[in-house]
Amino acid sequence: MTDDAYRATDPAKVALGRLLFWDPVLSGNRNISCGTCHQPQFGTGDGLSLGLGEGGIGLGTARVPDPANPPEQRIPRNAPGLWNLGAKEFTALFHDGRIEDRDGVLRTPMGPEMVEGFDTLLSAQTMFPVLSGDEMAGHYSENEVAQAVRQGLITGSDGAWEKLSARVRAIPEYLTMWETAFPGDDTLDFTDISDAIGQFVEFEWRSDTAPFDLWLRGEDDLSARALQGAELFYFTQGCASCHSGPFQTDQDFHVTGQPQLGPGKRARFERHARDEGRARVTGDAADRFAFRTPSLRNVTETGPWGHAGAYADLRDFIAAHAAPRAALSEYARDVTLPDAGPEIAATDWTFMDDAAEVTALATAVRGPDRVLTETEVTALMAFLETLRDETALAGRLGIPETVPSGLPVDRP
């Protein structure tokens, strides 16, 4: 890809966003940063099928409930990778695409007044984790941010965003960096914070120097096995019908029959453990169980795989993805879930233990099951390895040693 495929970034905003991304000051209880669940060592995810946000301690596969303040539930969906989110073609974010840029107009479930002032779709995306009780805000009334969220106060002088912005404004180093990054701006507010974080993510995790890119530019060759995998991917097996374009995604939504585990995506008063994906956004029954086609850049590093992290092994995922109905009936439940106590664990398999729910999911899948041989899976794996970008995985600026708030930085 060339530079014109991406939005330009400002070094001053990137530098500010880097520190804010890693600073727990943006969480209600000052104990979780964006980086807590988006660690470079786990391909910018957290290495878990379903993570523990608020109420968890530790990182990645070592994260466990805090005995003094345990979580209420697992985060309902797998933490997505952050690769290439500065590319202009990414016009919908989250597994269900609930935040979108439609011809320059941002749309979210929170209404038009909630997207004013954000420079980009990625910037607007940051509004969601900081307002989520299970992710960063904290639960109910345990801090002033959670209290505001509980009361529905998001914008305005008493809103959750202003409370977070006031924390940042009170730190002199941030104020100085903000003046450099946003010259002429009146007040450091939440949209400035999110714009800076967005630019950092765009800069830090741009990924277009993988062996696959060198091959496309005629600068290097791929192995015979990887070329065999590319033939299967682009032609014989038709993977590229959805995983198309330079980032291997059509940016669309499809029902692929992925096993559902954990609490599902539901309101607190609902009792099912279902995640209907895109249908929760559109209200269209045809979108039930549809999820956004993920980009495959650095896919070998971003496991567990699937919107609920149902597969801990990428080879298993590939075979199951090709034959989803059979995979649902034979699913081995090989997941990466921290022990979260019996009450939370009791919901882990509610969906998969319900034959009617599994049948409904299998019925929603379109197209035939295709059984891959071990040789074909090996070839596809060899092709996917060519999307592994060592430069991007190493990061450009890396994790800071300290952040201006003085709070601990989550480092491996």
Side-chain angles (χ1 to χ4, degrees):
M1 274 78 68
T2 57
D3 287 345
D4 61 6
Y6 297 87
R7 291 184 292 267
T9 56
D10 178 332
K13 288 185 173 70
V14 169
L16 173 60
R18 174 186 179 231
L19 296 179
L20 290 166
F21 182 93
W22 292 104
D23 199 330
V25 74
L26 293 179
S27 61
N29 291 325
R30 294 178 171 86
N31 58 341
I32 296 171
S33 72
C34 305
T36 303
C37 294
H38 294 285
Q39 284 276 317
Q41 63 173 323
F42 298 112
T44 67
D46 62 3
L48 298 171
S49 298
L50 300 174
L52 293 175
E54 179 55 51
I57 52 176
L59 290 179
T61 53
R63 193 164 179 82
V64 296
D66 180 354
N69 181 29
E72 293 187 355
Q73 66 173 22
R74 300 190 197 278
I75 294 174
R77 291 173 178 162
N78 179 258
L82 303 179
W83 307 108
N84 290 317
L85 297 184
K88 296 173 184 175
E89 76 166 64
F90 284 82
T91 57
L93 296 177
F94 293 112
H95 291 290
D96 57 11
R98 65 186 179 276
I99 177 167
E100 303 173 83
D101 183 342
R102 297 186 182 180
D103 299 321
V105 178
L106 297 181
R107 299 191 181 188
T108 85
M110 300 183 75
E113 73 279 3
M114 302 297 291
V115 296
E116 295 179 1
F118 295 99
D119 280 351
T120 65
L121 176 72
L122 180 58
S123 170
Q125 179 271 338
T126 62
M127 79 171 77
F128 289 89
V130 299
L131 299 179
S132 168
D134 291 321
E135 294 184 54
M136 293 180 70
H139 295 126
Y140 301 113
S141 297
E142 62 185 13
N143 62 70
E144 77 280 14
V145 176
Q147 281 184 328
V149 172
R150 178 69 169 168
Q151 297 172 58
L153 299 174
I154 309 302
T155 60
S157 59
D158 293 323
W161 288 348
E162 170 56 23
K163 293 181 185 302
L164 292 172
S165 301
R167 291 182 184 181
V168 175
R169 285 197 300 271
I171 300 172
E173 185 176 346
Y174 277 137
L175 202 55
T176 299
M177 294 182 75
W178 168 78
E179 290 170 347
T180 301
F182 293 88
D185 205 339
D186 293 332
T187 305
L188 192 168
D189 57 25
F190 186 77
T191 56
D192 296 334
I193 291 169
S194 59
D195 288 345
I197 291 174
Q199 288 218 15
F200 165 68
V201 171
E202 293 179 16
F203 177 84
E204 183 77 352
W205 290 300
R206 172 171 166 171
S207 179
D208 56 2
T209 57
F212 176 76
D213 298 295
L214 300 181
W215 176 67
L216 286 181
R217 294 195 291 264
E219 298 174 11
D220 204 354
D221 294 325
L222 298 184
S223 69
R225 184 60 59 82
L227 288 171
Q228 181 188 2
E231 171 70 25
L232 290 166
F233 186 92
Y234 286 104
F235 301 105
T236 309
Q237 294 298 332
C239 308
S241 62
C242 297
H243 291 286
S244 57
F247 303 110
Q248 291 75 42
T249 172
D250 59 2
Q251 306 291 353
D252 208 346
F253 302 85
H254 303 278
V255 181
T256 60
Q258 280 294 301
Q260 173 63 43
L261 55 137
K265 200 71 173 176
R266 55 181 171 80
R268 281 290 203 263
F269 63 83
E270 294 178 304
R271 288 292 170 262
H272 64 77
R274 189 183 316 120
D275 190 337
E276 296 189 339
R278 184 65 173 166
R280 287 182 56 86
V281 178
T282 65
D284 188 341
D287 290 331
R288 195 176 187 221
F289 303 124
F291 294 89
R292 189 170 63 86
T293 306
S295 169
L296 298 184
R297 291 305 178 126
N298 297 305
V299 67
T300 56
E301 312 305 308
T302 58
W305 293 270
H307 76 273
Y311 289 92
D313 185 281
L314 184 55
R315 288 184 65 95
D316 292 342
F317 174 84
I318 291 171
H321 189 51
R325 297 176 190 84
L328 281 170
S329 66
E330 302 165 0
Y331 181 54
R333 305 188 182 189
D334 178 22
V335 295
T336 306
L337 289 173
D339 182 2
E343 185 174 343
I344 290 178
T347 68
D348 286 345
W349 302 110
T350 300
F351 183 95
M352 296 303 295
D353 286 339
D354 189 324
E357 292 276 34
V358 175
T359 297
L361 174 57
T363 302
V365 177
R366 299 290 179 263
D369 277 14
R370 295 165 295 169
V371 178
L372 299 177
T373 67
E374 285 295 315
T375 299
E376 288 173 326
V377 173
T378 297
L380 286 167
M381 283 289 296
F383 169 68
L384 295 178
E385 284 283 353
T386 72
L387 302 175
R388 189 178 189 277
D389 186 340
E390 294 286 356
T391 298
L393 287 166
R396 289 169 171 78
L397 298 176
I399 305 175
E401 291 292 332
T402 61
V403 289
S405 69
L407 293 166
V409 178
D410 279 334
R411 304 179 61 85

